Amino acid sequence: MKLLVPLMFAVSLRAGPYATAEVCKQCHPVEYAAQSASGHARALRPPAATEPEQWAFGAGNQAVTFVSQLNATDYLEHGETWYTATKRFDTTPGHADTRGLRYRLFDPSAGILRCFSCHSTGPLQVDGSGTIQPHELGVRCEDCHGPGAEHAANPTKVSLKKPGEQGGAAMNTACGACHRVQSSAEDGSNLLDPWNSRHQPLLLAASVCFQKSAGKLMCTTCHSPHQALEVRQETYNKACLGCHAAPKHSASVTGRPCAACHMPSVRTNANLAFVNHRIAVYSDGDALSPVTLAKH
Amino acid sequence: MLLLAAVALALQPDPAALRKVYEDHVARCERDFGPRDARTAQAARDLGFYMRESGDKKAATTAFAMALAIDQANLGPDARQTLAGELALASVSPPPEAEALFRKALTSRGMDSTLAAPALSALGDLRFAAKDPVGAAAAWRLALQHSEIVNGKDSDPVAKILYNLSQVVDTKEAVALLERARAIAVGNFGPNHPETATCEVNLANALLHAGRLSDAVEHARTGLAAFEASLGPRHPRVSVALTTLARALGGQKGADRKSIADLYRRAVEIDRLSLGDKDPQTLADIRALNALPK
C-alpha cells in the first residue's frame, strides 16, 4: 500500500536585513530603471485618487484587485476587479459573486498575509491595529536576490544570490513561491484546470521541454527579470529556436509564432487569459489537453 | 492492495517568512491583554494552526497547548472551544498522547458531530498506523456516520473516509466502498480530474484483488488516461496506474507479454525520474518487470 501526501516548501529568500530598490539603484541604475517599469515593480500600490479602496493588487497589465482592512482582525478582497483588456469592472478572479471575500488576518492558511507577501518585498509587519505594513511595495530586487543591506554596505565582500546561476529547477521553485509550482514530484494539481494556467511554473515543470532540458530551460530563458514583460513574439520564437533549430511540423505553420500552437492562450474567465506554459502540441479546439500523450 | 491517498496541495510561499508575524501577534496580545485573555488564546491558536499547516508539529504543539490552557481555565473542560482545542493539540501530538486526547474529547458531553467526524477519522488513522485494522475500522465507521451528517453523503470528506475504510475491510466491501467513492469523485470533480483518477485506480486495485480482471482493466485504463491528462505523463501516479493496468492485464488469459512489459518499462522510467533508482517503488516495479515470463 502506498500513501501519497506531498508537502514541500520553497527555499526562503527572506532572511536578514533588507535594503530597498532605492538603495540598489545607487550602483545598479540601469537594472533599477528597467525593473521599475515592469509589472513586478507595480504589483502592489496604494490606490489612485479615483480608487476608494486601501490597496491595489496587480500591475494592471491584466487586472487590478482591491483590498481593504475592515477592522483589527479582518480584511476584504473586493468582489469587483478592474480588467484592462475589457476596460471594465467585473467579478474578481476566484470569487463566486461581487460581494467580496473576507479574510481573517491570522487565519491558518495566512491567506491575506500571503497576498501581501507575494506582492511586496521584504518582511511583513502587522501593527497593533491589525494593519499590514509591507517593507517595500511591489516585487523588487531583493525578492529574487535576497536581503541586500549587507551587500550594499560592503559590496566587495558580501555577494547576493544570482538565481540564473542555479538552474531551471531552482529558478522554477523560486518563482513558483508566488506563481505556484508543484509542491513535489507527487504534487496532484490538476493541469487541465483552466485556473492553473495562471500558475506558470507548475505547468512549465510538466513540460517535456523543461524536463529534458537538464536545467537549461528556465523562466529567464524567455522572460528578462529586469524588464517589463516582452510582447514581441519574435523574441519568444528565438528562445524556442535556441534548442529546436529545425523543428518538424506536420502542417504548414508559416507566419505563426511557436507559442500560438505550443503554448496556447487559456481563458480563465470572460476577462482574463493566460499563456499555457505546459509546452506541448495542442489541437485548435483545446488549449489545455496536449495531443501528444501516449496511447494505451 | 495498492491504494492512493487523496491529492494534497502545496502551501506557498515560504511559511517561515510569515511565522514571525504570527509569533509577534501572540507576544503583542500577551503584553496588551494578559496571558490568560481569550484574545491571547486566539492568537496562540492561530499560530498553532499556521504552524500545523506549515508542517511544524513541534511549534504547533506549543501554541495549541498554550491556547488550551487558557480555554480550560476560562471556559471549562466541556466547552466546545476547549474540546476543539484538545482535538487541535491531538492532531499534532505523538500517537500515544494524541489517542488519549482524542478519546478524552470524544467522551465529553460537549462533543458534537462537527468535532467528532474529524476526531474519529484521525483516531482511525492512529489505529491503522498501529496495525490495528479492527480498531481503525470501528473508528472510521463512526467517523463516516458523523461526516455524512455534517458534510453530506456525497461530500469529499465522506469519500476520503470510504477510501480509508476500504483498506481494512474484506475485498467485497472494499469494492463497494471504492465504487461509492468513485461515484462521489466523478460527481464532484468530473471524469478528468486527479481525484477521480485516484479513485479509478484504487477501485481497479480492489477489483484486481476480487478477481474481476476485466473490470479492473477498464478502471485502470480510465484512471491512467485521466492521470496522464491531468498530471502529465511522467507523474508518479501515472506509474502506479501503469503497474495496476499491467497487473490486471497480466492476470487475464492470453495476456500479451510485450504490451505488459512496455507498461512496466514506462512505469520504471517514471519511477527513476521522479523517485530515484533506489526508491522501493522503483525497485518493486523493476522486479515485476523482470519476473514477467520470457
Side-chain angles (χ1 to χ4, degrees):
Chain A
M1 181 155 38
K2 184 163 182 283
L3 295 170
L4 303 173
V5 186
L7 262 184
M8 193 179 81
F9 306 110
V11 174
S12 173
L13 293 174
R14 301 193 169 193
Y18 279 76
T20 61
E22 287 297 322
V23 174
C24 303
K25 174 188 175 183
Q26 294 166 21
C27 296
H28 306 280
V30 175
E31 289 83 358
Y32 171 86
Q35 204 273 337
S36 295
S38 71
H40 270 145
R42 295 177 283 118
L44 177 62
R45 60 176 171 80
T50 53
E51 298 167 336
E53 319 309 344
Q54 196 171 1
W55 293 102
F57 280 76
N61 291 345
Q62 289 247 48
V64 180
T65 297
F66 300 96
V67 169
S68 299
Q69 183 182 357
L70 294 175
N71 52 46
T73 58
D74 296 278
Y75 278 70
L76 182 74
E77 183 183 35
H78 289 262
E80 290 199 318
T81 281
W82 172 257
Y83 292 97
T84 305
T86 50
K87 293 187 170 50
R88 63 169 185 162
F89 281 95
D90 203 345
T91 309
T92 295
H95 290 213
D97 54 46
T98 57
R99 287 179 294 181
L101 278 182
R102 194 176 181 122
Y103 286 86
R104 211 163 65 77
L105 175 55
F106 291 106
D107 75 15
S109 62
I112 198 67
L113 289 166
R114 286 177 197 281
C115 297
F116 277 90
S117 182
C118 279
H119 284 255
S120 68
T121 303
L124 295 177
Q125 290 193 317
V126 178
D127 70 16
S129 60
T131 301
I132 298 171
Q133 298 170 330
H135 178 76
E136 184 179 19
L137 301 184
V139 180
R140 305 308 307 262
C141 318
E142 293 162 285
D143 235 349
C144 300
H145 293 291
E150 290 177 6
H151 168 73
N154 202 344
T156 56
K157 289 193 175 172
V158 180
S159 298
L160 291 181
K161 282 179 195 168
K162 293 180 180 173
E165 294 177 354
Q166 296 172 346
M171 180 174 286
N172 217 39
T173 299
C175 298
C178 287
H179 290 278
R180 269 220 66 204
V181 68
Q182 59 184 99
S183 58
S184 73
E186 298 182 16
D187 183 294
S189 299
N190 184 3
L191 305 181
L192 299 181
D193 184 347
W195 181 254
N196 275 331
S197 64
R198 65 184 299 187
H199 302 138
Q200 297 87 351
L202 175 74
L203 292 170
L204 182 65
S207 304
V208 174
C209 281
F210 180 80
Q211 293 165 352
K212 288 192 171 177
S213 78
K216 188 178 165 193
L217 177 60
M218 58 182 81
C219 308
T220 52
T221 304
C222 298
H223 303 297
S224 167
H226 298 136
Q227 303 282 346
L229 186 69
E230 178 61 77
V231 294
R232 290 169 301 179
Q233 287 296 331
E234 309 88 75
T235 307
Y236 296 110
N237 289 348
K238 196 175 169 186
C240 297
L241 293 169
C243 289
H244 304 277
K248 292 176 185 170
H249 292 103
S250 57
S252 171
V253 294
T254 307
R256 297 189 76 181
C258 307
C261 298
H262 299 292
M263 301 177 73
S265 183
V266 176
R267 193 153 281 289
T268 58
N269 68 19
N271 305 290
L272 273 184
F274 294 90
V275 169
N276 184 350
H277 278 63
R278 186 181 180 186
I279 307 165
V281 178
Y282 293 88
S283 62
D284 282 342
D286 187 347
L288 282 165
S289 307
V291 297
T292 45
L293 293 177
K295 299 283 183 283
H296 310 284
Chain B
M1 190 182 296
L2 188 62
L3 293 169
L4 300 166
V7 174
L9 292 174
L11 185 66
Q12 293 161 337
D14 178 12
L18 294 178
R19 174 176 177 167
K20 189 171 182 305
V21 177
Y22 282 80
E23 291 175 335
D24 288 349
H25 181 52
V26 175
R28 191 167 46 241
C29 286
E30 273 193 289
R31 186 192 65 218
D32 293 350
F33 308 125
R36 293 294 164 203
D37 189 89
R39 286 163 288 189
T40 304
Q42 181 63 51
R45 199 157 40 245
D46 289 338
L47 172 61
F49 281 121
Y50 178 68
M51 295 318 302
R52 187 177 76 174
E53 290 237 338
S54 305
D56 188 339
K57 286 187 175 182
K58 191 177 172 189
T61 299
T62 305
F64 282 142
M66 178 181 173
L68 180 59
I70 299 171
D71 289 339
Q72 281 173 332
N74 290 347
L75 305 171
D78 289 321
R80 196 174 187 285
Q81 181 60 68
T82 306
L83 295 176
E86 283 181 346
L87 298 179
L89 181 59
S91 71
V92 291
S93 297
E97 291 93 322
E99 185 157 343
L101 281 164
F102 280 129
R103 291 195 185 282
K104 178 173 173 285
L106 284 164
T107 55
S108 166
R109 54 193 160 90
M111 183 54 59
D112 59 35
S113 284
T114 305
L115 293 175
L120 285 160
S121 192
L123 186 59
D125 294 346
L126 288 170
R127 288 288 84 218
F128 183 70
K131 303 194 187 309
D132 172 17
V134 175
W140 282 332
R141 285 188 200 284
L142 282 171
L144 186 60
Q145 290 173 17
H146 286 288
S147 191
E148 286 178 339
I149 293 168
V150 174
N151 302 306
K153 287 181 179 292
D154 294 329
S155 63
D156 301 336
V158 163
K160 175 71 168 48
I161 299 170
L162 292 169
Y163 155 73
N164 284 340
L165 197 49
S166 74
Q167 299 172 91
V168 289
V169 296
D170 63 49
T171 304
K172 188 179 174 188
E173 187 181 358
V175 168
L177 292 168
L178 291 169
E179 281 175 336
R180 189 180 157 200
R182 176 192 164 277
I184 292 172
V186 170
N188 291 350
F189 299 109
N192 263 343
H193 190 281
E195 294 286 0
T196 309
T198 298
C199 290
E200 296 282 4
V201 174
N202 287 342
L203 178 56
N205 271 294
L207 290 163
L208 188 58
H209 278 256
R212 293 168 55 184
L213 296 178
S214 60
D215 290 338
V217 167
E218 182 187 332
H219 286 286
R221 279 195 204 281
T222 306
L224 174 59
F227 271 145
E228 286 180 326
S230 61
L231 299 178
R234 294 183 171 206
H235 195 280
R237 289 189 183 217
V238 171
S239 167
V240 175
L242 284 164
T243 54
T244 302
L245 178 58
R247 287 189 296 130
L249 287 169
Q252 291 182 317
K253 282 184 183 172
D256 176 6
R257 187 205 169 273
K258 184 179 175 303
S259 62
I260 294 167
D262 286 345
L263 293 172
Y264 275 120
R265 280 194 199 95
R266 267 197 68 201
V268 170
E269 184 189 352
I270 294 168
D271 293 342
R272 283 184 160 142
L273 276 169
S274 58
L275 304 172
D277 285 346
K278 296 189 176 170
D279 184 87
Q281 184 176 323
T282 308
L283 298 173
D285 290 345
I286 290 171
R287 278 195 301 274
L289 174 61
N290 292 336
L292 286 176
K294 304 293 178 195

